[in-house]
Amino acid sequence: MSKTVLVSGGAGYIGSHVTVELSQAGYEVVVADNLSNCDLTCLEGVRKILGHPVTFKEMDFCTVKAVEDLFDSFRFDAVIHFAAFKAVGESVSEPLKYYRNNLESFINVVEASRKRGCAVLFSSSATVYGEVDNPPVTEKNDRQSATSPYGNTKQMCEDILRDSAAAYEGLSGIALRYFNPIGAHPSALIGELPRGVPNNLLPYVTQTAAGIRDCLSIFGDDYPTPDGTCLRDYIDVVDLAKAHVCAVGRMLGGKMESAYEIFNIGTGRPVSVLELVKTFEEATGVKVNCRIAPRRPGDVTAIWADPSLAVEKLGWKAERPLVETLRSAWQWQQYVSRK
Ligand code: UD1
């Protein structure tokens, strides 16, 4: 009998890609989302890609009763938790909104899971590493104090899962630390749909290419890097989604070596801001109007993953070439612009 996986926040950017990959791998998927930061566009895309709808429940994970009722209505083998706020700047101006939403919802999910022996996968972030001296980073690198309430909630949720897995018999969990997720599904039916002005680089690039934004600001060209712009590890969203399928398989296949495990999910390849823009232009043939702007406060100079633990233990590695990822982001942007 197929296993059932709950994807909280599954109507969003990463959650919708994970829903597709899990379904195609043979899992029953239930998506629950309060639609606070997205609409039904991606779920509709998921339906078209799969050729059938996935079970969807509109609900808020901060409500204990709603979470308990959901877990009573299905027998989940695993939950992947995405339902969280993610705007770094907003978290600085509205910290309580972030602490309340991101922590309460996760506590409710972990509580419901531990009562029922459901495994928990948490979507963490490379932001927990802060500024590092000698990239690439391994999972053994120390975490730095978070520079934003958003980053702090990622660290705190990791700790909630670690401590709960240690304390409660039968509860196990994995935290995946994503580097910079980008791109869209090859069908161009699902992708990132930022509300308002994008904070992240690639959505800003595609919106500038589409003429929605006048000019991309490149935040700083005086960093101590080969071309002066920051280095990041841009991970294709479909590759990233596949890492979740591997991690769920590990949790449900009894392959975990301890009750709580952490994996970096990145390519292992640093790419500068200028290189990303240039590769986008080459991949799509579309020019991106850009200018050098002052550094953005809080940005780290350079960070990329050492993904060897994920390669060894999850049997996963990033595969999609950057040009394909960038083309997919552009196709998605054009699809969205036409809608
Ligand atoms: C950001 C978040 C991080 C989060 C991640 C999710 C911050 C400080 N960090 O990471 O917590 O987990 O997104 O994807 O916000 N850039 C420009 N112009 C732009 C936008 C970005 O030059 O208009 C540059 C940035 O300076 C950076 C790189 O592009 O060097 C990537 O930026 P971004 O996509 O925002 O990701 P991070 O800052 O790495």
Side-chain angles (χ1 to χ4, degrees), residues 149-310:
Y150 159 78
N152 215 8
T153 65
K154 289 292 179 198
Q155 297 202 355
M156 291 161 102
C157 286
E158 284 193 352
D159 294 347
I160 288 167
L161 188 53
R162 179 200 61 203
D163 296 346
S164 301
Y168 303 118
E169 187 71 35
L171 178 70
S172 57
I174 288 181
L176 297 183
R177 290 179 177 159
Y178 314 152
F179 282 68
N180 289 60
I182 59 165
H185 194 265
S187 64
L189 292 167
I190 54 176
E192 191 169 8
L193 261 184
R195 285 199 169 156
V197 182
N199 294 311
N200 295 118
L201 178 60
L202 191 57
Y204 211 106
V205 167
T206 59
Q207 289 196 6
T208 307
I212 300 165
R213 312 276 157 212
D214 287 341
C215 182
L216 167 74
S217 294
I218 293 178
F219 297 139
D221 69 347
D222 57 352
Y223 284 96
T225 59
D227 67 17
T229 64
C230 294
L231 298 172
R232 294 289 184 275
D233 184 333
Y234 295 96
I235 173 74
D236 179 86
V237 69
V238 177
D239 279 339
L240 175 65
K242 288 179 177 160
H244 294 72
V245 178
C246 296
V248 168
R250 183 173 174 84
M251 294 196 298
L252 301 186
K255 299 196 191 99
M256 290 177 70
E257 289 163 23
S258 62
Y260 173 64
E261 296 180 331
I262 301 168
F263 297 99
N264 284 344
I265 304 297
T267 65
R269 188 167 94 83
V271 173
S272 77
V273 178
L274 282 175
E275 195 183 342
L276 190 97
V277 174
K278 193 166 143 272
T279 312
F280 177 87
E281 291 180 333
E282 284 165 4
T284 61
V286 182
K287 185 97 192 72
V288 180
N289 189 21
C290 56
R291 67 179 181 107
I292 304 299
R295 290 182 178 195
R296 181 172 69 176
D299 275 345
V300 301
T301 304
I303 184 161
W304 65 95
D306 176 341
S308 43
L309 193 67

Side-chain angles (χ1 to χ4, degrees), residues 61 125 127 136 149 165 214 219 233 253 315 335:
F61 280 85
S125 166
T127 196
D214 287 341
F219 297 139
D233 184 333
Y335 172 74

Side-chain angles (χ1 to χ4, degrees), residues 50-72:
L50 296 177
H52 61 81
V54 292
T55 308
F56 171 63
K57 179 121 182 67
E58 185 173 343
M59 57 163 278
D60 192 331
F61 280 85
C62 288
T63 310
V64 176
K65 186 167 179 330
V67 176
E68 289 292 326
D69 285 351
L70 180 70
F71 275 74
D72 282 339

Side-chain angles (χ1 to χ4, degrees), residues 129 137-143 177 264 309:
Y129 293 118
V137 284
T138 75
E139 293 78 356
K140 290 197 174 70
N141 274 67
D142 288 334
R143 297 184 319 192
R177 290 179 177 159
N264 284 344
L309 193 67

